[in-house]
Amino acid sequence: MAGLLAGCAAQIPAPEPIDDVVRSPVPEQRAPYQRSADSAALVLRYARVEQDLLNRGLLRTDGGGPDTPFDSRTLTENFMRIALFDEFVPISDRIIARETASPLRRWQDRVEIGLAFGASVDDETRKRDRSTVAALADRLADASGHAITDVTGDGNMTVFVVDEDERRALGPKLLEMVPGLSNGVVRAVTEMPPSTFCLMIAFSTDDQPYVYRRAIGVIRAEHPPLLRRSCFHEEIAQGLGLANDSPAARPSIFNDDEEFALLTAQDALMLAVLYDPRLQPGMTAAEAQPIVRAIAEDLLPPATRADASRPPGLFDAPPKTEGL
């Protein structure tokens, strides 16, 4: 079983630490739901984080805007960084953050996105989250040309919306959904630090290691509305095969600087590239790069004369030289 783990983590100073909060045992289900001290502290923490980001002009929802132009060369370079590198790798039964080259991966089956809510999520919030995911599924399907829909029930991409205590208790459910899941992946969910806002793990099979067949995501129930929507957008899109984050990717949600809250126009084009039939699961960066460049040039005008004078990019082919 192969897998990808992608997460959204803030690269900003944390508000007040919560280390002094007494850790509570997983509570019994009760109605009405009462948050533990840990969960209540996170509600306050993430509200401050969202407001701080907004105060700094981040968490944009404009899809890019005229201040963030991009062309086919930019699209090619950003796609290669995002789709052909992993953000995390398994090391000694642990999952650690380390950018690593990886072959291209995507789904072949229809992607069915199901939401699994903890008791901490009230009915009104569930309704709003379902609406968010339904609209997002339509947009992702339009952008990629792949069959993507929201469903009632687990689906093959299950997104848990849970608070701190419910997430810590997810281990048995994860093992039930994905038999043979490694301890490292289970701990990546149950021991997720507060600096990680959300995550997505996608799985393939041994006979088709570059084709995703199952995915599991986690969205923190403590998030305020815009951080919550941002997590849905980034994690579900990453679960389709755009696995990495890059500080060079702009305008893009796949960038931990939190400039954009929602998928941008370039992100939608990256999905179009990813699911173009000219690319195939398992292609290496060297195999994919000339095809990606051709697809990008079909989608966007080629680089301008000024852009062509830029230094070669990371994935540009070396210049050809004539023999004597």
Side-chain angles (χ1 to χ4, degrees), residues 8 113-117 121 125-126 128-134 136-137 140 157-162 197-200 217-221 223-239 253-254 261-263:
C8 177
I113 307 168
L115 296 179
F117 295 100
V121 185
T125 303
R126 294 183 187 202
R128 187 169 60 245
D129 287 349
R130 289 193 181 102
S131 178
T132 293
V133 171
L136 177 60
L140 295 172
M157 179 184 282
T158 305
V159 181
F160 289 94
V161 185
V162 288
F197 292 174
C198 39
L199 62 78
M200 177 66 70
V218 176
I219 308 292
R220 291 183 181 275
H223 282 321
L226 188 52
L227 275 183
R228 196 185 195 93
R229 287 180 66 201
S230 180
C231 274
F232 280 122
H233 274 237
E234 180 170 2
E235 299 309 325
I236 291 174
Q238 289 198 306
I253 198 173
F254 305 119
L262 309 180
L263 290 170

Side-chain angles (χ1 to χ4, degrees), residues 31-86:
Y33 190 84
Q34 181 178 346
R35 293 195 183 278
S36 70
D38 286 354
S39 181
L42 289 178
V43 170
L44 296 175
R45 177 192 183 110
Y46 296 130
R48 291 194 296 267
V49 167
E50 180 176 286
Q51 190 58 55
D52 176 66
L53 293 170
L54 290 170
N55 290 344
R56 293 192 283 131
L58 304 177
L59 291 181
R60 291 170 56 178
T61 60
D62 58 9
D67 63 314
T68 54
F70 62 95
D71 56 26
S72 59
R73 178 176 172 180
T74 305
L75 176 60
T76 298
E77 293 180 351
N78 286 334
F79 177 86
M80 297 295 294
R81 290 186 182 98
I82 300 302
L84 287 132
F85 285 83
D86 280 339

Side-chain angles (χ1 to χ4, degrees), residues 116-302:
F117 295 100
S120 60
V121 185
D122 62 51
D123 290 343
E124 186 61 32
T125 303
R126 294 183 187 202
K127 181 179 178 180
R128 187 169 60 245
D129 287 349
R130 289 193 181 102
S131 178
T132 293
V133 171
L136 177 60
D138 287 344
R139 184 177 179 194
L140 295 172
D142 288 344
S144 66
H146 190 73
I148 303 169
T149 186
D150 62 306
V151 298
T152 300
D154 287 344
N156 53 16
M157 179 184 282
T158 305
V159 181
F160 289 94
V161 185
V162 288
D163 76 357
E164 182 76 352
D165 304 285
E166 293 163 335
R167 179 187 50 74
R168 291 174 185 162
L170 276 179
K173 180 64 175 177
L174 298 178
L175 291 169
E176 175 187 327
M177 298 176 75
V178 187
L181 197 60
S182 73
N183 290 334
V185 173
V186 172
R187 285 199 298 268
V189 173
T190 60
E191 299 177 10
M192 193 166 82
S195 58
T196 299
F197 292 174
C198 39
L199 62 78
M200 177 66 70
I201 311 166
F203 304 95
S204 58
T205 55
D206 291 339
D207 60 327
Q208 290 185 300
Y210 306 114
V211 175
Y212 291 141
R213 307 299 294 274
R214 189 80 172 88
I216 294 173
V218 176
I219 308 292
R220 291 183 181 275
E222 293 91 354
H223 282 321
L226 188 52
L227 275 183
R228 196 185 195 93
R229 287 180 66 201
S230 180
C231 274
F232 280 122
H233 274 237
E234 180 170 2
E235 299 309 325
I236 291 174
Q238 289 198 306
L240 297 177
L242 298 175
N244 196 21
D245 284 316
S246 169
R250 186 175 186 265
S252 177
I253 198 173
F254 305 119
N255 187 321
D256 280 339
D257 64 6
E258 310 298 334
E259 180 180 7
F260 294 95
L262 309 180
L263 290 170
T264 68
Q266 183 175 206
D267 296 332
L269 290 177
M270 282 196 270
L271 285 166
V273 174
L274 178 62
Y275 282 87
D276 190 290
R278 285 171 279 184
L279 292 173
Q280 293 298 317
M283 282 184 169
T284 64
E287 293 168 331
Q289 194 274 339
I291 302 172
V292 170
R293 184 173 60 226
I295 298 170
E297 290 177 353
D298 287 346
L299 294 169
L300 287 171

